[in-house]
Amino acid sequence: MNTALSWIKAYVPELECSDQEYCDKMTLSGTKVEGFDRKDKNLEKIVVGQIDAIEKHPDADKLIVCQVNIGSETIQIVTGANNVKVGDKVPVVLNGGKVAGGHDGGPLPEDGISIKAGKLRGIPSNGMMCSIEELGSDRTMYPEAPEEGIYIFERESDCDGEVSSKEVSSKEVSSEKDGKSHVEVGADAVELLGLHDTVFEYEITSNRVDCYSVLGVAREAAATFGKTFVPPEVKMVGNDEDVNDYVSVEVRDKDLCPRYCARVCKNIKIGPSPQWMQRRLAASGIRPINNLVDITNYVMEEYGQPMHAFDLDTIAGHKIIVRRANDGDEFQTLDGQMRKLDGEVLMICDAEKEIGIAGIMGGENSKITDDVHTVLFEAATFNGPNIRKSAKRIGLRTDASGKFEKGLEPHNAEDAINRACQLIEELGCGEVVGGMVDIAEPMAEQKVLPFRPEKYNKLLGTSISEEEMLEIFGRLDIGTVKKEDGSIELVIPYFRQDLTCDADIAEEVVRFFGYDKVPDTLPSGEAMTGKLSYKLRIEQKARDIAEYCGFSEGMNFSFESPRVFDKLLLPADDVLRRTVTISNPLGEDYSIMRTLPLHGMLSSLAINYNRRNKDVKLYELGNVYLPGKLPLTELPEERMQFTLGFYGEGDFYVMKGVAEEFFAAVGMHKKPSYTPDSGKPFLHPGRQAEIRYDGVLVGYLGEVHPEVLDNYGIGTKAYIAVLDMPNLIPFTTFDRKYEGIAKYPSVSRDLSMVVPKNILAGDIENVILQRGGKLLESCQLFDIYEGAQIKQGFKSVAYSVTFRAKDRTLEESDVNAAMKKILNGLEQLGIELRQ
């Protein structure tokens, strides 16, 4: 996106700044300026001169000697140009001045070319008359310049007309009306050529569609510099006729064309557009062609709304039909190329044929010629993604398609087409027919967002006042409405499609408040300050403990085969068989999302076993995916599982010890309880347990069922443990309370008991812990015995029980009282002291 600073100043008349200041401030406020180019670079001491006399050079057939009046004096210039005559007014560079380049139009030298007085074939020459190339431009942007020779200030076309004083200076207006009679001798020729200007190049992000227009950039400039934004006054012009008597419009594919506006202008006079329009288009990189084409291009740059002009006399039935093309159709565009179409390309058609590719380019069969009398103006809104895909498929991307593919605002189409008709009338290029054909889908109402200054400041780390925020919103045309409860709502203008939430509004505040004024603050939140989140810290602790215990981390696929459940001996009605099915799987082996983590762990152990690796210990932290309802109506629940597996040296109690080591490391100081029969079909029925903590199931562990081991090809005992992290994390803490070394001695008692086999060690420990009181420090199982010396159905269990007081030395009576309570509780379980 390129714009000339003079065009911006037409809408921000109070704007006064240097080029670098403009570049820096606009970039800081969010409209990034990639660079700028001064059009008068290396143009010095160039004035308007009038040729008063011409003589042939006495010693050169191709040179002439001119007497040129430059206002303050008459100077002599020798030139080889053959297109000048007495009375012409031309740009003259004086002695000591500079021009941008040579007359051959080659690359411009970095420092320009200095001009000094001298002699040509013995005749003094005190300056130089300039071609347009020597002034750093070319005929593309100055079509009135001759192909070869000196640029001549001459009368403009009959279609100059008057223009609004809010857009063009009075000096330009008078010049447009009366031609070269108002080009004063001795005036600044660079200014008359519109070269005292700077063209800025912007990098506009796709979400800021409004800034793909001069008005959008000017609005940003006004807000950035705190100046008044003065947009052009658009009027609905037209005669007493009705446009519906001239043309009708039918939109068949409204999903691709939500709005189509059409207006008609008759008695068209084709000619050059006025110089102020040509200069502005040239500065934007658009070649001036004629008044009609230039007006559509001008409005496209001004409003960011592409337009197209059709010769109404070439439109069959004077009817416009907007529809999709047919597969295999071919269409010749304005550039003379045949384009292959398909059923997704939107076309502009008349009653008989296609006449344009919507949003991309018009057709050769309806182009504007010099014989045009009646013009149909089109301003529409097309589906952005469709335009982008169509342009890519047919291999044609234009300025118009580049704007349409961003997603234009439907309200803009009406303003743009009225602006074009207003220019037609103001420039005297034709007569505008009254009324407008407007085919539109219901347009969205203006968005309204709540005004939340506290949240904006929290997001930004600032303390900007409400008043300052509201002042910024006023500069951006964001309206405010005060409700009955005193709260304020923000009314978002139609052209700001990018403002949808609090974060967007906060960005608007800070970019005009000034990013450089935002104080340095540390981000809030654990992750933002460089710390891991609590969940990730627990997971990291799991890794640390597993690796400390000799386990190596593994990673397995979340995609599995439905056959996995058979290998794990799960019943047909087991809830774990309810899975999320992949819609485009790599194959059946990767067709569902796993609901338990064992297949990957056992497969990894099997690979190691078959490669004769001994004593393999693996762990994994990975998700399982549990659907709520099938078929899926919402995302499945993802639960992190800490899975441990090993074979070789070790047994059930080694795995239990690893789990308890982890519990202790994450602050779970209470003893977990173990239920022997966890009901897991893939575990050995007599060597498995559920793990509960405060009554909540947090996992299970056990020896893998022999049949499952056979299914995976593992020829030795293997053990697994699975800890459910979502259930486990609420009981964890990293808070630690340290106590000093005990000052008073402990007292130990050994309990040797005859216990029924059906009573668990955990049940015994619970009785000891509950009845031991505050003096109980610990209890430790140190012996289990079954044999001939123990009666049938019983086992011998021995515990070491330790007591200690923090404030005194225990007496025998203290320990005996605690032991009596413990023994009474054990007797209720049918436990006897061993004699």
Side-chain angles (χ1 to χ4, degrees):
M1 175 73 187
N2 294 350
T3 66
L5 185 59
S6 61
W7 201 348
I8 299 297
K9 287 183 176 180
Y11 309 125
V12 192
E14 300 172 355
L15 180 61
E16 293 294 337
C17 61
S18 67
D19 294 339
Q20 191 60 52
E21 183 183 5
Y22 180 88
C23 177
D24 294 342
K25 286 195 172 183
M26 289 293 284
T27 298
L28 283 174
S29 69
T31 308
K32 184 180 179 183
V33 180
E34 288 285 339
F36 58 88
D37 176 35
R38 281 209 62 86
K39 306 304 290 182
D40 59 358
K41 181 181 178 182
N42 295 324
L43 300 181
E44 299 177 7
K45 299 179 69 173
I46 302 176
V47 299
V48 176
Q50 180 171 305
I51 301 175
D52 289 343
I54 299 176
E55 298 178 356
K56 289 186 177 181
H57 194 291
D59 295 323
D61 293 338
K62 294 186 178 181
L63 297 179
I64 56 175
V65 181
C66 301
Q67 303 301 318
V68 182
N69 177 12
I70 59 171
S72 59
E73 60 177 316
T74 298
I75 62 173
Q76 181 171 282
I77 297 177
V78 179
T79 180
N82 58 8
N83 68 314
V84 295
K85 61 183 184 298
V86 174
D88 284 345
K89 294 178 180 178
V90 297
V92 176
V93 56
L94 305 179
N95 180 33
K98 272 187 177 183
V99 291
H103 66 278
D104 58 355
L108 300 179
E110 182 65 26
D111 298 324
I113 299 174
S114 297
I115 303 300
K116 295 183 180 179
K119 291 185 178 182
L120 287 177
R121 295 288 184 93
I123 301 298
S125 183
N126 296 315
M128 185 180 78
M129 294 181 285
C130 305
S131 68
I132 198 64
E133 289 77 16
E134 288 163 332
L135 295 173
S137 191
D138 54 45
R139 292 189 71 252
T140 302
M141 302 308 175
Y142 289 82
E144 74 278 8
E147 290 188 19
E148 295 181 359
I150 305 301
Y151 181 86
I152 300 172
F153 293 101
E154 58 185 0
R155 185 181 299 275
E156 296 298 330
S157 72
D158 294 333
C159 191
D160 291 334
E162 295 187 16
V163 292
S164 170
S165 60
K166 286 190 177 181
E167 299 176 62
V168 189
S169 68
S170 57
K171 183 174 182 180
E172 286 175 301
V173 173
S174 62
S175 175
E176 299 292 339
K177 288 182 180 180
D178 302 324
K180 65 183 179 183
S181 60
H182 284 269
V183 177
E184 297 182 7
V185 174
D188 186 345
V190 177
E191 180 180 356
L192 288 173
L193 288 168
L195 293 174
H196 280 318
D197 204 355
T198 305
V199 176
F200 291 89
E201 179 184 357
Y202 305 88
E203 179 186 327
I204 307 296
T205 54
S206 296
N207 65 316
R208 290 303 305 273
V209 182
D210 58 301
C211 286
Y212 283 91
S213 66
V214 177
L215 283 174
V217 174
R219 186 182 289 107
E220 289 291 305
T224 298
F225 290 90
K227 305 298 182 182
T228 304
F229 175 59
V230 186
E233 295 181 4
V234 180
K235 301 175 183 178
M236 182 74 171
V237 299
N239 59 23
D240 295 333
E241 296 179 276
D242 186 355
V243 67
N244 294 288
D245 296 333
Y246 284 78
V247 68
S248 61
V249 176
E250 177 186 355
V251 179
R252 294 180 182 173
D253 292 293
K254 295 183 179 180
D255 58 322
L256 301 183
C257 179
R259 189 173 195 185
Y260 192 98
C261 300
R263 297 200 66 181
V264 172
C265 298
K266 63 180 185 178
N267 301 325
I268 295 296
K269 301 175 184 177
I270 296 294
S273 56
Q275 282 197 359
W276 61 267
M277 181 176 285
Q278 292 185 31
R279 302 293 182 261
R280 290 179 180 177
L281 290 175
S284 299
I286 299 176
R287 180 173 62 90
I289 296 175
N290 60 47
N291 51 4
L292 203 56
V293 175
D294 290 353
I295 285 173
T296 60
N297 286 334
Y298 184 84
V299 173
M300 179 177 71
E301 291 301 305
E302 187 178 42
Y303 278 81
Q305 170 68 52
M307 293 182 57
H308 192 70
F310 296 101
D311 185 342
L312 187 60
D313 294 332
T314 65
I315 297 176
H318 286 190
K319 183 174 184 178
I320 293 292
I321 301 173
V322 184
R323 61 168 176 81
R324 284 176 166 88
N326 298 313
D327 287 332
D329 283 355
E330 291 189 345
F331 180 72
Q332 187 175 22
T333 48
L334 278 171
D335 57 2
Q337 300 293 315
M338 293 299 297
R339 309 288 176 177
K340 292 185 178 180
L341 311 175
D342 60 43
E344 290 303 313
V345 178
L346 190 67
M347 301 297 294
I348 308 299
C349 311
D350 61 19
E352 299 175 356
K353 61 187 181 299
E354 294 104 341
I355 58 175
I357 304 177
I360 301 177
M361 186 176 282
E364 182 74 18
N365 55 7
S366 62
K367 69 178 181 180
I368 299 295
T369 65
D370 291 342
D371 298 328
V372 66
H373 297 292
T374 308
V375 167
L376 172 67
F377 276 128
E378 164 199 282
T381 305
F382 301 115
N383 179 274
N386 176 264
I387 295 297
R388 182 179 182 275
K389 292 175 183 178
S390 297
K392 189 172 183 180
R393 286 198 300 271
I394 67 177
L396 178 61
R397 194 170 189 272
T398 61
D399 288 339
S401 67
K403 287 181 167 61
F404 275 122
E405 67 188 25
K406 306 294 189 300
L408 299 185
E409 213 292 312
H411 290 85
N412 200 38
E414 181 176 355
D415 289 338
I417 199 168
N418 287 336
R419 173 64 167 157
C421 291
Q422 181 181 6
L423 287 171
I424 288 286
E425 188 173 275
E426 288 182 347
L427 300 181
C429 301
E431 182 182 355
V432 180
V433 174
M436 176 179 72
V437 178
D438 187 6
I439 307 297
E441 290 292 282
M443 287 178 278
E445 296 181 358
Q446 282 185 279
K447 286 177 289 191
V448 177
L449 299 177
F451 177 51
R452 296 173 177 168
E454 298 85 3
K455 187 167 186 178
Y456 308 151
N457 279 320
K458 185 176 180 181
L459 285 169
L460 301 172
T462 57
S463 56
I464 305 171
S465 67
E466 292 187 19
E467 293 74 18
E468 191 169 357
M469 291 184 187
L470 293 173
E471 189 274 332
I472 291 172
F473 297 151
R475 286 191 260 162
L476 293 170
D477 288 343
I478 297 175
T480 57
V481 175
K482 193 165 186 178
K483 300 175 67 178
E484 292 181 1
D485 60 2
S487 63
I488 297 176
E489 289 185 331
L490 304 177
V491 182
I492 309 302
Y494 289 114
F495 56 82
R496 290 304 303 273
Q497 301 180 63
D498 59 306
L499 301 183
T500 60
C501 63
D502 289 334
D504 296 330
I505 300 299
E507 182 185 6
E508 295 303 295
V509 171
V510 73
R511 68 191 185 96
F512 290 107
F513 171 74
Y515 290 105
D516 54 326
K517 298 179 184 177
V518 176
D520 295 334
T521 55
L522 289 174
S524 61
E526 291 180 331
M528 296 301 293
T529 54
K531 295 172 61 177
L532 294 174
S533 67
Y534 188 81
K535 173 179 177 291
L536 293 179
R537 289 168 66 192
I538 296 295
E539 292 174 9
Q540 186 58 51
K541 184 60 70 174
R543 292 186 178 91
D544 293 342
I545 294 300
E547 291 167 11
Y548 168 76
C549 294
F551 288 75
S552 299
E553 185 171 14
M555 296 183 69
N556 298 296
F557 287 116
S558 296
F559 299 161
E560 291 183 340
S561 167
R563 294 192 299 271
V564 166
F565 303 122
D566 296 330
K567 295 178 70 173
L568 294 173
L569 309 182
L570 287 180
D573 59 347
D574 196 293
V575 68
L576 293 175
R577 286 182 179 265
R578 299 177 68 252
T579 61
V580 177
T581 303
I582 308 301
S583 60
N584 56 341
L586 297 173
E588 186 183 4
D589 289 344
Y590 303 96
S591 61
I592 62 171
M593 303 292 289
R594 66 181 179 181
T595 56
L596 74 170
L598 296 183
H599 172 69
M601 177 59 70
L602 293 175
S603 296
S604 299
L605 292 175
I607 291 172
N608 281 275
Y609 177 80
N610 292 322
R611 294 182 180 177
R612 300 184 180 181
N613 293 329
K614 296 181 179 180
D615 298 326
V616 174
K617 295 181 178 180
L618 300 175
Y619 78 93
E620 179 191 13
L621 279 162
N623 286 331
V624 295
Y625 304 86
L626 308 177
K629 294 182 180 179
L630 291 177
L632 283 178
T633 57
E634 57 186 12
L635 292 175
E637 180 186 7
E638 300 183 32
R639 298 186 72 86
M640 176 64 69
Q641 308 285 289
F642 178 28
T643 307
L644 299 141
F646 76 86
Y647 66 81
E649 184 177 350
D651 57 15
F652 176 93
Y653 296 101
V654 170
M655 183 65 83
K656 176 172 174 282
V658 175
E660 292 187 347
E661 186 79 21
F662 170 63
F663 295 154
V666 294
M668 299 169 66
H669 299 304
K670 294 182 182 179
K671 290 185 70 68
S673 62
Y674 299 88
T675 304
D677 185 8
S678 63
K680 306 298 182 186
F682 43 79
L683 296 179
H684 192 293
R687 299 166 191 167
Q688 60 174 280
E690 281 186 346
I691 308 173
R692 291 183 179 273
Y693 191 89
D694 266 0
V696 177
L697 180 64
V698 295
Y700 56 87
L701 77 160
E703 180 184 322
V704 180
H705 196 290
E707 188 176 339
V708 175
L709 293 174
D710 289 341
N711 290 340
Y712 281 91
I714 301 175
T716 186
K717 292 182 178 180
Y719 300 87
I720 61 98
V722 178
L723 303 179
D724 186 58
M725 300 299 273
N727 279 355
L728 184 147
I729 286 177
F731 300 110
T732 62
T733 177
F734 286 109
D735 294 336
R736 297 289 186 267
K737 183 178 181 180
Y738 295 95
E739 296 182 356
I741 297 173
K743 295 180 181 180
Y744 301 96
S746 63
V747 177
S748 295
R749 293 283 190 272
D750 290 343
L751 281 174
S752 181
M753 300 167 284
V754 177
V755 181
K757 283 188 176 182
N758 64 333
I759 294 180
L760 304 177
D763 298 334
I764 298 173
E765 291 174 5
N766 287 337
V767 171
I768 295 173
L769 293 172
Q770 289 172 5
R771 291 178 171 261
K774 296 180 180 180
L775 298 180
L776 180 66
E777 186 175 74
S778 66
C779 66
Q780 185 68 42
L781 175 69
F782 67 86
D783 181 61
I784 297 179
Y785 172 74
E786 295 182 37
Q789 297 178 351
I790 306 300
K791 58 184 178 181
Q792 189 73 21
F794 286 80
K795 59 187 175 182
S796 173
V797 177
Y799 275 89
S800 176
V801 183
T802 302
F803 299 91
R804 191 194 306 269
K806 296 180 180 180
D807 56 349
R808 60 190 172 89
T809 300
L810 290 175
E811 297 180 0
E812 186 73 17
S813 59
D814 297 325
V815 176
N816 289 340
M819 287 297 297
K820 185 177 181 179
K821 291 181 179 179
I822 292 173
L823 292 173
N824 289 336
L826 293 174
E827 288 178 2
Q828 294 176 12
L829 295 178
I831 298 173
E832 303 172 1
L833 287 179
R834 186 175 178 185
Q835 302 299 323

